[in-house]
Amino acid sequence: MLLVLASVAAYPLIRTIYFGFTDASIDLIGQAQWVGFRNYLEYLDYGDGEGEYFGLLVDADWWRAVWNTLRFTIISVFFETVFGLVIALVLNREFRGRSLVRAAVLIPWAIPTIVSAKMWAWMMHDQFGILNDMLLRLHIIAEPIAWTASPDTAMLAVLIVDVWKTTPFMALLILAGLQMVPGDIYEAARLDGVGPVRLFLRVTWPLIMPAVLVAIVFRALDALRVFDIIYVLTPNNERTRTMSVFARDNLFDFDKFAYGSAASTLLFLIIALLTISFIWATRMNVEADER
């Protein structure tokens, strides 16, 4: 198992980090020369007492991509957690046809991401999309909106698609946590006259908190490296370009393989640091609650 992981994960990661310190191009990878931190930060002296910094760490497009990624992650994970919790609470109740509803809820998550993105791209089309048609009929908007083309609505469009697709995943993980809560705890609480709101806050929420935290970590990892939805729905849009899209554009479209490798390396470091920090912080909170 370790050998397989090393071959499919560790080796490509090490090679990517290495290329970030070279001048490699996509057609001359074998002739790459070591240039140190030039791709990350370099000071160019013009010889007249003035100079300028170049590199990824001072690239405004890169930091815009970082901000887009963090904004996408925070907003999408928040709404997916809230909606997933609501759906999980509903599916945890006993009602006729519950198994059928559980299977139907998972359909958006089961659809391949590219298919979902293409489907929503047509639904959000400014001339032929059903979304604009519905909003116009309801007199919510006065004219069709180019959801994926307009800089003002591009991020909103991406968030709508991602929340629709990934909320079932959050609901599934939270539902698994709800299924582990003993039923006799609820019976005892109802006998004591505890209301539904207080029952959720004092009993359900503390018991499912570990499952919710695991779901948030898993979903945040996916959101931080989001690529496919952005690339299909809003290509070449600075308002939605994420770190993964930025790295891919430099690796292949702009023929700046070394620069794209450096961006991929920073992407890996940012995700690793955020994940470790989140796990550490949530573990400390749980331990404090237990004490």
Side-chain angles (χ1 to χ4, degrees), residues 64-90:
R64 188 180 299 112
V66 173
W67 165 244
N68 290 337
T69 305
L70 294 178
R71 183 175 59 163
F72 171 84
T73 300
I74 293 172
I75 297 176
S76 63
V77 173
F78 172 78
F79 282 104
E80 288 160 7
T81 303
V82 173
F83 294 152
L85 177 62
V86 173
I87 294 174
L89 290 172
V90 173

Side-chain angles (χ1 to χ4, degrees), residues 180-254:
M180 300 298 294
V181 179
D184 54 354
I185 296 180
Y186 292 113
E187 294 297 333
R190 293 189 183 96
L191 291 176
D192 291 337
V194 179
V197 176
R198 189 179 179 187
L199 180 64
F200 172 78
L201 295 176
R202 296 297 183 88
V203 178
T204 304
W205 181 249
L207 292 176
I208 67 172
M209 176 67 76
V212 174
L213 293 178
V214 169
I216 291 175
V217 170
F218 283 172
R219 180 63 201 120
L221 287 175
D222 283 336
L224 286 170
R225 60 174 187 260
V226 62
F227 171 81
D228 38 16
I229 290 181
I230 304 290
Y231 192 75
V232 173
L233 279 178
T234 58
N236 302 321
N237 192 324
E238 293 184 355
R239 296 289 186 92
T240 60
R241 181 179 292 141
T242 59
M243 292 185 287
S244 296
V245 177
F246 179 92
R248 187 267 175 198
D249 288 343
N250 282 276
L251 281 167
F252 303 109
D253 290 348
F254 304 155

